[in-house]
Amino acid sequence: MRMIGAASLVAMGMLASAPAQAQWVPPFKGNDTGGIIAYGLASQTDIRAMAIDHCAGYGKVVKFLGVQAYEGGYISFACRWVPYYRTDGAVRARY
C-alpha cells in the first residue's frame, strides 16, 4: 500500500512539472451554433462566403461577432435561424 502511495506521488510530481502545451486549432472551425476563422486566412480567401456556406448547411444565416485583428487572432461568427418573415430559406453565396 505504501508503494502505491509513493508511486502516485512520483507520478503527480512528474505531471505537475511538465510544461503547459498549446493545442493546434484549424484555421476554420465551426458547428451549428457558429465558429471561428483564423485572421491570417482572411487575406487568402473570402471568409464571408465560407461562413455563409457553413451556416447555410444548417439552414441558418451568419452574423459576424468580433475580430481580433492581429496575427494569431480569430474572426468569430454565429449561425442564427432565418427570420420568421423570410420564406425563401437560408442565403447561399453564389458567384
Side-chain angles (χ1 to χ4, degrees), residues 8-92:
S8 65
L9 284 176
V10 169
M12 287 179 12
M14 289 173 57
L15 289 175
S17 65
Q21 296 179 358
Q23 299 297 321
W24 180 80
V25 178
F28 181 87
K29 183 175 180 142
N31 57 16
D32 64 326
T33 61
I36 57 173
I37 303 170
Y39 184 73
L41 195 62
S43 63
Q44 300 171 3
T45 61
D46 185 9
I47 60 165
R48 290 183 57 210
M50 289 174 62
I52 289 170
D53 286 339
H54 173 78
C55 291
Y58 295 104
K60 298 180 178 184
V61 294
V62 69
K63 175 165 174 66
F64 285 95
L65 300 175
V67 176
Q68 296 174 334
Y70 52 83
E71 191 61 35
Y74 285 96
I75 301 166
S76 60
F77 65 93
C79 295
R80 300 197 174 183
W81 292 109
V82 179
Y84 292 118
Y85 58 87
R86 301 242 349 206
T87 58
D88 56 347
V91 180
R92 288 203 182 264

